[in-house]
């Protein structure tokens, strides 16, 4: 059985919030992309959203089942609260729709594996929407580091904080997977793992600590991890996360032959500096459309997963987040 391919996949968007809006803006900015459907909690919200991005009126739904029965829909982009990602991904997969699901795909590694097992069973493409992997500047950073520009990789230090006082309530709701670790912790982890040498192992926890709100949600989360590599070496990852204050949002990558600084915002930069030489690599729009190109290319090639965001790595990210949370809570 081979994966179902189409020349111009029809995209559906699940959710009409801020990230769904940015995704839709970038999607329609590209030639030959094909948005065909959207689902929201109310018909009115779906129609208002669809009218902005060329989605036909009969493709605007307030019912997920109706959207999944739409034969025009080939790929579903899921942009709902974190705790809904797993079940909605599986629901789409079982309806034979390819899936691009916002990060984090799952709050538990076992649930992430469940999604990918379903994708394999039903022979559909599925990818966690770790869009930063496809940002041009970060693609260039990966090439330089893995090409030996910095010598042997020693450490990755990531600062990522923003003032979330105007963000949706789900950001600080632990029941919805809110908080600094689950909302943005995947970015420094994914950056570090993209730079590691081949054969690096799962990370070893050094320490984790958080400042929590009255409802127990983590306002800030700091952690240190060590990724074992060959010859008894290790790459250190230090990350400082905050959803209550703006911080520098830069990443510093150190090796035996130099330093590379990824400019703010480190998860979606337009420039970086390597050994004192600044390089501009501007992105277009919000930068969310690069992953669309990857998804469509993989589907056209009959692939179930992307080599840039593999199922194995995605499950490992979830496992790392899970371990960090458990370690901090038990400290």
């Amino acid at each position: 059985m081979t994966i179902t391919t189409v020349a111009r996949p029809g995209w559906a968007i699940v959710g009409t919030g801020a990230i769904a809006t940015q995704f839709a803006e970038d999607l329609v900015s590209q030639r030959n992309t094909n948005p065909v459907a959207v689902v929201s909690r109310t018909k009115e919200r779906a129609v208002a959203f669809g009218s902005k991005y060329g989605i036909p009126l009969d493709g605007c739904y307030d019912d997920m089942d109706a959207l999944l029965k739409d034969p025009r829909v080939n790929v579903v982009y899921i942009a709902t609260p974190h705790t809904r990602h797993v079940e909605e991904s599986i629901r789409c997969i079982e309806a034979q729709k390819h899936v691009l699901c916002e990060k984090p795909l799952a709050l538990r590694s076992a649930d992430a594996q469940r999604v990918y097992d379903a994708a394999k069973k039903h022979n559909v493409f599925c990818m966690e929407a770790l869009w930063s992997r496809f940002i041009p500047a970060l693609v260039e950073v990966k090439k330089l580091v893995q090409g030996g520009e910095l010598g042997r990789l020693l450490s990755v230090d990531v600062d990522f904080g923003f003032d979330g006082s105007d963000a949706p309530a789900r950001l600080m709701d632990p029941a919805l997977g809110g908080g600094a670790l689950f909302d943005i912790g995947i970015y420094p982890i994914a950056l570090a793992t993209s730079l590691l040498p081949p054969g690096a192992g799962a990370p070893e926890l050094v320490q984790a600590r958080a400042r929590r709100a009255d409802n127990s949600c983590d306002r800030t989360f700091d952690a240190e991890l060590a990724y074992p590599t060959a010859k008894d070496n290790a790459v250190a990852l230090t990350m400082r996360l905050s959803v209550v204050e703006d911080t520098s949002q830069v990443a510093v990558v150190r090796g035996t032959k130099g330093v590379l600084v990824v400019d703010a915002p480190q998860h979606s930069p337009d420039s970086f500096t390597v050994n004192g030489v600044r390089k501009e690599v501007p992105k277009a729009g919000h930068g969310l459309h690069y992953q669309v190109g990857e998804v469509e290319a993989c589907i056209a090639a009959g692939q179930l997963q992307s080599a840039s965001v593999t199922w194995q790595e995605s499950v490992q990210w979830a496992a790392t987040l899970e371990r960090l949370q458990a370690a901090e809570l038990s400290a």
Side-chain angles (χ1 to χ4, degrees), residues 8 12 14 23 43 60 63 79 93 102 113 115 121 145 151 219 254 257 260 285 287 298 308 315:
R8 190 167 177 255
V14 178
F23 179 85
K43 181 77 169 182
C60 298
D63 178 73
I93 287 166
E102 260 306 324
Q113 188 63 59
V115 173
K121 176 182 177 180
V145 174
R219 295 156 51 90
R254 293 181 174 86
K257 295 182 180 178
L260 187 152
C298 287
S308 296
V315 171

Side-chain angles (χ1 to χ4, degrees), residues 151-172:
R152 179 170 61 82
L153 182 62
L154 298 175
S155 64
V156 180
D157 189 304
V158 181
D159 184 284
F160 192 177
F162 64 93
D163 181 356
S165 56
D166 294 329
R170 64 100 189 147
L171 179 65
M172 291 299 293

